[in-house]
Amino acid sequence: GTGTFALAAAPFCRQVIAVDVSAAMFSMLYEKAVRSGITNIQCVQAGFLSYEHQGEPADFVYSRNAIHHLPDLWKAIALKRIAEMMPIGGVLRLRDFIFSFDVDDTERYIEDWLEGAVTNADSGWTRAELEIHLREEYSTYRWLFEPMLEQAGFEIREAQPIPSKVYTSYTCVKAR
């Protein structure tokens, strides 16, 4: 993204590696870092499947609204790749379109989500944008995603769905 989290974490870290597929996002992050005088952020243009970690293991990995771009097969591989770059005890914090409702309740929760969309794209996601997301992105159910985390070697310490149940935040620790 635009680096909000990377910039907030930088004063507390020896090094922050910001990974994103978008060069435009790096330009925004770079400009913010220069204005703030932050020099310990390294930008790498890559994705979950192409990033090659160099150096010491990553003690903490944060991902927000990114893993839904991958089908479930590749999500599982991406999570395994993340785990491989972390030490035992490393923390993964992830927030994404992970549905925390049963299949039988899908129509109700999705319609509620769509009904709650904003009408002006400047204020958030419109119904049309959410519908595109549902057609073209790869959100998944919590009951499918959590075994992927565990298979990758993570222990789920906390799973917090938001009230609409269309996003879930996870705090996980690498256990093996």
Side-chain angles (χ1 to χ4, degrees):
T2 61
T4 301
F5 185 81
L7 291 164
F12 305 99
C13 301
R14 190 171 53 253
Q15 179 183 27
V16 174
I17 302 170
V19 180
D20 198 300
V21 296
S22 170
M25 294 297 120
F26 287 131
S27 292
M28 294 176 80
L29 171 55
Y30 178 77
E31 289 172 17
K32 289 178 182 179
V34 167
R35 279 195 309 269
S36 302
I38 296 173
T39 60
N40 63 333
I41 297 177
Q42 174 189 354
C43 296
V44 179
Q45 188 173 355
F48 288 112
L49 304 174
S50 60
Y51 174 70
E52 295 293 333
H53 187 68
Q54 305 291 318
E56 295 180 39
D59 294 317
F60 183 83
V61 173
Y62 176 76
S63 175
R64 180 176 176 178
N65 295 345
I67 206 157
H68 71 268
H69 293 286
L70 300 174
D72 285 351
L73 168 86
W74 298 109
K75 277 184 185 87
I77 292 168
L79 292 168
K80 181 72 172 162
R81 288 176 50 95
I82 291 168
E84 288 171 351
M85 71 179 77
M86 300 176 76
I88 300 294
V91 175
L92 168 65
R93 179 74 176 161
L94 184 142
R95 181 182 190 267
D96 216 308
F97 295 95
I98 309 295
F99 300 148
S100 291
F101 47 79
D102 292 327
V103 173
D104 293 340
D105 295 326
T106 300
E107 186 175 340
R108 175 172 62 102
Y109 280 102
I110 294 299
E111 188 53 40
D112 287 350
W113 186 39
L114 295 173
E115 286 293 321
V118 300
T119 55
N120 181 342
D122 292 336
S123 304
W125 285 27
T126 64
R127 182 182 180 106
E129 291 170 322
L130 294 178
E131 289 171 345
I132 290 169
H133 170 85
L134 289 168
R135 280 193 310 274
E136 298 178 8
E137 303 288 339
Y138 303 98
S139 301
T140 195
Y141 290 101
R142 182 175 170 179
W143 53 270
L144 291 169
F145 187 71
E146 290 179 2
M148 290 183 221
L149 286 166
E150 292 165 352
Q151 183 68 31
F154 291 105
E155 177 184 307
I156 300 167
R157 294 284 176 91
E158 182 177 47
Q160 291 183 301
I162 65 168
S164 70
K165 297 189 177 190
V166 295
Y167 294 100
T168 304
S169 295
Y170 288 93
T171 302
C172 304
V173 174
K174 184 176 174 188
R176 57 176 169 78

